[in-house]
Amino acid sequence: MTSSALLALLGAPALAAGWFGWRRARNRYYSGSITDHFDGVRFFNPGHPWAQTPVDAMRALALTKRTPWPDRWPSPFSDKPPARVGGAGLRVVAIGHATHLIQAAGVNILTDPVWSDRASPFGFAGPKRVVAPGVAFADLPRIDIVLLSHNHYDHLDLATMSRLAERDDPRVIVPLGNDAILRAHDRAIRAEAYDWADRVALADGITATLTPAYHWSARGVTDRHKALWCAFALDLGPAGKVYFGGDSGFGEGATFRAAGQEHGPFRLAILPIGAYEPRWFMGDHHMNPDDAVKAFALLGAESAVGCHWGVFRLTAEAIDAPAQDLATALATAEIAPERFRALRPGEVWESAGAA
């Protein structure tokens, strides 16, 4: 059994890194009043308990047949984004995994930026990128805002965050506790931490609201659940509203139903569709394409793009299974395939007019 294999099945390199004694993370990231999702030490999902254990992870690794991935899977797309997109235009390019550049209303927003070769605390082990970022770092326009959904290594990449801070000094919007991780690494990173339901002004008439997600957090064995996780509901003014799902299980769909009712209607939803097998282990915190199609319907979004697939090997399914399973789920739900696209890195979704 290799450490990288265990990292892959966990879907979070952080936890395995802790088991192997690599990282010490004993201190709290956040101290605050007890709430319906914070017990004074750790965060949790109300009504959606985390049931899996390290033993379950080892069992999943031992019993699950892993479909081989290629060492490289180049994308046929690449992109050099414009400096800005104004008016009612909305442009989103998939950079890879959960990283997207959202351009609207003259504002440039990056989600969960990762340009590193591995989603891991190690430079020599852990899930390795099989496709280059769809936008070269040097080709990025000036970034105004970074949205970080949670602290797993495939979403919070400290090396990339330092590069962005040095180049563009963007505001970084994070759920509670994640600001401490960023400041400990690089005090130049302008992290601002918020709770679920907090609405953050990003620019004139542009806001981001942190919404619940069915997930968890850890970067080591002792810090599990000590930082919050979230999705984001964006109000981009004349460009409409965008939902960025970060990383989430489906549960009973309550978080998506509530987001649609409270923050919609959405012009676009960005939803994870990958890293979902074996289902008995991953289902609590990762959607499969069928779940994502259900979430899309509950959100009431006009269009969607699928992410979190085909870049880092995290789980057991084939590299192209998420796209194939999404096509099947859309056909079953009688939803036109152009409404929900599984984007490859460098592929662009855009619309000139407001929904």
Side-chain angles (χ1 to χ4, degrees):
M1 179 188 305
T2 66
S3 61
S4 59
L6 182 54
L7 294 177
L9 264 173
L10 285 169
L15 186 55
W19 290 347
F20 289 105
W22 179 83
R23 186 175 179 86
R24 181 177 61 84
R26 301 185 182 279
N27 297 326
R28 294 186 184 183
Y29 298 136
Y30 170 76
S31 296
S33 301
I34 293 173
T35 70
D36 68 343
H37 56 279
F38 180 64
D39 66 8
V41 177
R42 300 178 191 275
F43 295 93
F44 59 93
N45 283 114
H48 189 80
W50 173 261
Q52 309 302 338
T53 68
V55 173
D56 290 326
M58 303 290 270
R59 186 161 64 91
L61 179 61
L63 298 179
T64 301
K65 181 178 180 180
R66 293 162 53 82
T67 303
W69 273 38
D71 291 334
R72 300 295 298 167
W73 199 44
S75 173
F77 306 98
S78 63
D79 186 51
K80 291 188 176 182
R84 303 279 173 183
V85 172
L90 174 60
R91 189 181 197 272
V92 176
V93 57
I95 293 168
H97 202 58
T99 308
H100 306 79
L101 173 62
I102 302 171
Q103 296 183 282
V107 178
N108 292 332
I109 300 170
L110 270 182
T111 67
D112 290 354
V114 179
W115 265 262
S116 292
D117 287 337
R118 291 188 186 271
S120 172
F122 309 109
F124 58 88
K128 187 175 183 180
R129 184 184 292 277
V130 300
V131 53
V135 177
F137 191 86
D139 290 335
L140 282 174
R142 182 179 181 85
I143 301 303
D144 306 302
I145 305 290
V146 174
L147 304 178
L148 289 178
S149 65
H150 65 294
N151 68 15
H152 287 158
Y153 285 83
D154 56 323
H155 294 258
L156 196 168
D157 178 32
L158 292 174
T160 297
M161 293 306 303
S162 285
R163 293 176 73 185
L164 287 166
E166 180 179 11
R167 200 193 77 154
D168 294 339
D169 191 29
R171 291 175 64 193
V172 182
I173 310 302
V174 303
L176 295 174
N178 293 282
D179 56 325
I181 298 168
L182 293 166
R183 281 197 302 269
H185 170 72
D186 185 345
R187 297 198 68 84
I189 298 172
R190 288 200 294 144
E192 306 171 23
Y194 299 94
D195 202 354
W196 290 346
D198 285 346
R199 188 181 185 193
V200 185
L202 304 181
D204 186 20
I206 308 300
T207 63
T209 301
L210 285 74
T211 67
Y214 290 136
H215 207 57
W216 59 293
S217 66
R219 289 179 77 80
V221 71
T222 63
D223 68 340
R224 194 171 182 182
H225 300 273
K226 289 185 178 179
L228 188 58
W229 50 92
C230 76
F232 288 94
L234 303 176
D235 187 338
L236 301 173
K241 297 179 179 181
V242 172
Y243 178 86
F244 171 59
D247 207 352
S248 182
F250 182 74
E252 299 299 320
T255 58
F256 302 103
R257 183 181 295 106
Q261 292 172 349
E262 297 170 15
H263 304 291
F266 293 105
R267 187 174 180 183
L268 180 69
I270 303 172
L271 295 170
I273 62 169
Y276 52 84
E277 293 291 349
R279 207 72 203 113
W280 67 266
F281 182 73
M282 302 305 298
D284 279 351
H285 56 285
H286 281 176
M287 293 193 291
N288 63 14
D290 186 62
D291 291 336
V293 169
K294 293 175 183 175
F296 173 49
L298 290 173
L299 288 166
E302 179 183 347
S303 299
V305 296
C307 65
H308 206 266
W309 72 285
V311 177
F312 297 110
R313 175 65 182 268
L314 300 178
T315 46
E317 73 272 6
I319 194 168
D320 56 352
Q324 295 178 7
D325 290 351
L326 177 63
T328 300
L330 290 170
T332 300
E334 299 183 341
I335 296 173
E338 61 269 19
R339 290 188 61 201
F340 194 155
R341 296 163 53 197
L343 298 187
R344 295 290 311 277
E347 195 170 2
V348 175
W349 182 99
E350 64 182 323
S351 176

